Amino acid sequence: MRLNSARQAWHDAYYQPWDSVMAVASEWAKLGASVQTTCKSVNANHAAHQAIAGAVQAAISRLPPHLRAFGDFMYSPLDQPAQREMAEAGVFRIAVEVGQRMTQKKFERAELVAKGILFRYRMMNQGGQGGCSDPLEKPEAFREWLYQVYGVKLDSRNWEREWQPFCEACFGACNDFDRRALGPVSTVITELLEVA
């Protein structure tokens, strides 16, 4: 397991380098059962990976549920729709708390905007290092994406006044959740590297 970053460690702690899903499905189709073979890599490297993964998973398990859901959605290799929904709700809640007052109609659209910002944040941090560009940085591209995915049209007029502050509040919530979720994992990595 590589300890390059807390994001990478979060991913690797839940990643099991075993047979692919398709290989197992193929085996089931041929034999009607799964057969363990000796070609699986159960050795000292695997044991070390499990030990490090256990330490990282323990740190993650102590996080509050909303931070764990955010981190799992961002970095876990497991597809967990419930974690995504909880992360989206958390970002929306924080952005509404720090943002300006809004009408009921804008409030309903703002929830979808928050989902879009979380999608953008995840794309920017894909790969674990946080150095990717924002695929929907231009308001026109973001508005088009919202329309294509959620069917919501946002007016392009007065974007800076109407939606930019809310988008910034969503990004701020993402940054705060990310920092707080990755903090304990970073501590574990530091401790593990000091021992090594």
Side-chain angles (χ1 to χ4, degrees), residues 82-93:
Q83 302 297 60
R84 176 186 46 80
E85 291 169 6
M86 188 181 271
E88 289 170 345
V91 169
F92 177 63
R93 180 180 48 80

Side-chain angles (χ1 to χ4, degrees), residues 68-110:
R68 182 173 180 181
F70 182 87
D72 279 344
F73 171 68
M74 291 292 295
Y75 308 115
S76 175
L78 308 172
D79 182 28
Q80 302 170 328
Q83 302 297 60
R84 176 186 46 80
E85 291 169 6
M86 188 181 271
E88 289 170 345
V91 169
F92 177 63
R93 180 180 48 80
I94 296 298
V96 167
E97 286 176 5
V98 301
Q100 74 246 26
R101 295 170 41 106
M102 55 182 83
T103 65
Q104 181 64 31
K105 184 177 180 182
K106 185 173 180 179
F107 184 83
E108 291 166 1
R109 290 182 291 162

Side-chain angles (χ1 to χ4, degrees), residues 67-190:
L67 293 179
R68 182 173 180 181
F70 182 87
D72 279 344
F73 171 68
M74 291 292 295
Y75 308 115
S76 175
L78 308 172
D79 182 28
Q80 302 170 328
Q83 302 297 60
R84 176 186 46 80
E85 291 169 6
M86 188 181 271
E88 289 170 345
V91 169
F92 177 63
R93 180 180 48 80
I94 296 298
V96 167
E97 286 176 5
V98 301
Q100 74 246 26
R101 295 170 41 106
M102 55 182 83
T103 65
Q104 181 64 31
K105 184 177 180 182
K106 185 173 180 179
F107 184 83
E108 291 166 1
R109 290 182 291 162
E111 187 173 9
L112 301 176
V113 170
K115 290 179 180 190
I117 296 294
L118 183 59
F119 169 79
R120 288 169 61 185
Y121 190 84
R122 186 177 189 207
M123 296 301 292
M124 292 163 57
N125 290 288
Q126 207 67 11
Q129 299 304 320
C132 299
S133 62
D134 184 351
L136 302 170
E137 184 175 9
K138 297 199 181 298
E140 302 80 31
F142 185 50
R143 285 194 309 271
E144 179 61 27
W145 183 86
L146 285 170
Y147 179 68
Q148 294 295 324
V149 174
Y150 294 113
V152 64
K153 281 191 173 193
L154 298 180
D155 193 353
S156 63
R157 296 172 293 179
N158 301 319
W159 177 263
E160 288 79 20
R161 185 186 73 216
E162 291 295 319
W163 289 106
Q164 192 63 36
F166 183 75
C167 290
E168 290 171 4
C170 289
F171 274 118
C174 289
N175 283 325
D176 182 54
F177 285 168
D178 207 14
R179 180 185 50 77
R180 291 172 42 210
L182 293 174
V185 177
S186 294
T187 301
V188 167
I189 290 172
T190 302

Side-chain angles (χ1 to χ4, degrees), residues 20-37:
S20 72
V21 174
M22 292 308 293
V24 172
S26 173
E27 190 174 273
W28 270 95
K30 288 179 192 172
L31 305 174
S34 178
V35 178
Q36 182 176 352
T37 62

